[in-house]
Amino acid sequence: MPPELRSEVTAGPGGAMTDEVGVITGDLTVATADQGDGTARVRIQYTGADEWYELEGSPARITAGGLAAVHRAVVDAVRVGGAAHLPA
């Protein structure tokens, strides 16, 4: 199984934008997984739920900062809200 980082975060006003269901808000879990091809898949769910959704803009290219930097940028964006998507 590829490396994956997870964080629980409360979305800021306007929540996070997903491909499947649009904006989700509230207490969320963000999972960022290395796909082994230089990209990271970013999924998000309501904390404690079974369903996962793809964050808009996923997959992301893993930069020199590594998987942790991608994950941190996503978590920060979700905290801000505003229909957060994968930061450029």
Side-chain angles (χ1 to χ4, degrees):
M1 180 182 220
E4 180 177 82
L5 301 173
R6 288 190 181 190
S7 295
E8 292 184 7
V9 60
T10 300
M17 180 64 74
T18 69
D19 290 338
E20 297 88 355
V21 296
V23 172
I24 62 174
T25 60
D27 294 331
L28 306 173
T29 300
V30 176
T32 308
D34 186 333
Q35 297 191 112
D37 63 358
T39 65
R41 180 179 184 203
V42 182
R43 299 175 305 137
I44 194 163
Q45 72 174 173
Y46 291 104
T47 299
D50 292 330
E51 299 83 14
W52 286 93
Y53 307 108
E54 201 84 11
L55 187 67
E56 185 176 86
S58 177
R61 189 173 64 80
I62 299 175
T63 60
L67 187 66
V70 173
H71 183 73
R72 191 169 39 255
V74 170
V75 169
D76 289 347
V78 172
R79 275 194 184 108
V80 170
H85 57 278
L86 205 65

